Amino acid sequence: MITFPEALEFCDRLADAASKAISELVDTSEAFETVYVGADGTDTKLIDDVSEQAILRVLREDGRSMRVLTEEFGEVKIGEDPEFSIVLDPLDGTYNVANGIPIYSISIAVGMPDVSSFYFGYVRNLANGDTFHAGTGEGAYFNGRKIKPSDNSVLGSFCVSLYGYRRHVERTIDLCKAVRRIRIFGSVALELCYVAAGRIDAFVDVRGSLRLVDVAAGKLIIEEAGGMVTDGDGCPLKLKGNIINPYFMVASNGHLHSDILKLIGR
């Protein structure tokens, strides 16, 4: 287990490496070229691979033993007896970065070697350097300032990040009618942090396609900020130690969480 200050410095180094590695690919067609199918079963684009490779180099040079779960390569063990685990999405928002949309991030969760729990979460918008982090019992922070969710308790004025298009759209209709604004930014890790910081009031994903690497860091950041995170049935969201299991997710400022669940009820 590494300390709160150590984890922050560690994640800063990883984010710096990723930012530098992808800089020449931002807003290029080359960035979005498929190079292989990742461990999660989705296409890995060139810029995803470049970011992940840069991060893995830093991790191998670090000298500590760790277990690394990544979106692209799956599981990588560094050293013989892992001291901690890293759950990593090297680039969340690949379409955005390839098309010059400045909303794309790196997401890192640090936890126990068996990935049974996480005690540090980190998300940085690689387009502008905005950084969110949280530690268990330490609160949540945006660029070094402590954050908390919004105090909004009127559903009709809610701004919600909502993923449920195409074949899932029927489940989202009632919620769309009930709230004031809908936003989809294309980087789930950042959107979860926006809930934690009170920039939006809730995040809802009814697709059942989120993975551990998408939500591990953001979940901790929201909870440490004082927000609420559940699955689609209102039960505590239990993250399992692999990148294959899909999740439904509802995150909010906590004031009208049950109302949101009723509106998307299966």
Side-chain angles (χ1 to χ4, degrees):
M1 185 169 178
I2 58 179
T3 66
F4 183 77
E6 286 175 336
L8 178 57
E9 186 276 333
F10 184 57
C11 291
D12 277 339
R13 284 195 284 124
L14 300 182
D16 289 345
S19 181
K20 181 178 179 181
I22 68 171
S23 60
E24 294 185 2
L25 286 171
V26 173
D27 198 14
T28 69
S29 58
E30 181 185 8
F32 209 59
E33 291 178 1
T34 299
V35 290
Y36 57 87
V37 176
D40 66 346
T42 62
D43 289 347
T44 295
K45 306 300 183 181
L46 176 62
I47 199 166
D48 297 314
D49 183 60
V50 167
S51 181
E52 183 160 294
Q53 293 284 6
I55 294 165
L56 287 173
R57 282 194 293 272
V58 175
L59 294 177
R60 292 187 174 107
E61 292 167 359
D62 179 76
R64 286 173 286 193
S65 296
M66 65 191 81
R67 181 184 179 190
V68 185
L69 277 71
T70 77
E71 184 173 34
E72 316 307 339
F73 277 95
E75 183 170 346
V76 178
K77 187 179 178 183
I78 299 175
E80 293 302 319
D81 187 16
E83 302 172 40
F84 53 88
S85 64
I86 297 288
V87 171
L88 170 72
D89 188 343
L91 189 59
D92 181 20
T94 306
Y95 178 88
N96 289 351
V97 66
N99 289 277
I101 301 171
I103 305 175
Y104 47 92
S105 63
I106 179 175
S107 175
I108 309 165
V110 184
M112 303 306 291
D114 62 358
V115 202
S116 59
S117 63
F118 301 98
Y119 52 82
F120 188 83
Y122 180 101
V123 176
R124 182 191 289 182
N125 185 345
L126 295 175
N128 62 12
D130 280 350
T131 301
F132 300 84
H133 74 277
T136 300
E138 300 284 351
Y141 299 83
F142 167 65
N143 290 343
R145 303 191 312 272
K146 204 161 189 178
I147 55 174
K148 65 182 183 68
S150 74
D151 293 323
N152 192 355
S153 59
V154 179
L155 192 61
S157 65
F158 258 42
C159 179
V160 178
S161 173
L162 178 59
Y163 287 81
Y165 37 81
R166 294 195 292 270
R167 64 188 178 90
H168 304 286
V169 71
E170 293 297 325
R171 286 193 62 192
T172 67
I173 290 174
D174 289 341
L175 181 59
C176 288
K177 290 178 180 178
V179 301
R180 179 70 178 87
R181 296 177 179 87
I182 298 293
R183 295 290 184 269
I184 301 176
F185 296 107
S187 179
V188 166
L190 278 174
E191 288 163 271
L192 294 175
C193 292
Y194 292 162
V195 174
R199 296 183 174 188
I200 57 179
D201 303 301
F203 170 93
V204 177
D205 193 316
V206 302
R207 298 171 298 172
S209 60
L210 291 174
R211 299 291 189 267
L212 180 67
V213 295
D214 299 315
V215 303
K219 175 179 182 291
L220 179 61
I221 291 169
I222 289 176
E223 291 173 338
E224 281 297 316
M228 182 179 292
V229 181
T230 70
D231 64 17
D233 296 317
C235 299
L237 185 64
K238 297 179 180 179
L239 301 180
K240 299 178 181 179
N242 66 67
I243 63 168
I244 303 301
N245 289 329
Y247 301 101
F248 290 86
M249 187 174 188
V250 177
S252 76
N253 61 11
H255 292 294
L256 295 168
H257 202 91
S258 60
D259 296 71
I260 292 172
L261 289 169
K262 289 175 184 176
L263 289 167
I264 62 167
R266 282 183 274 188

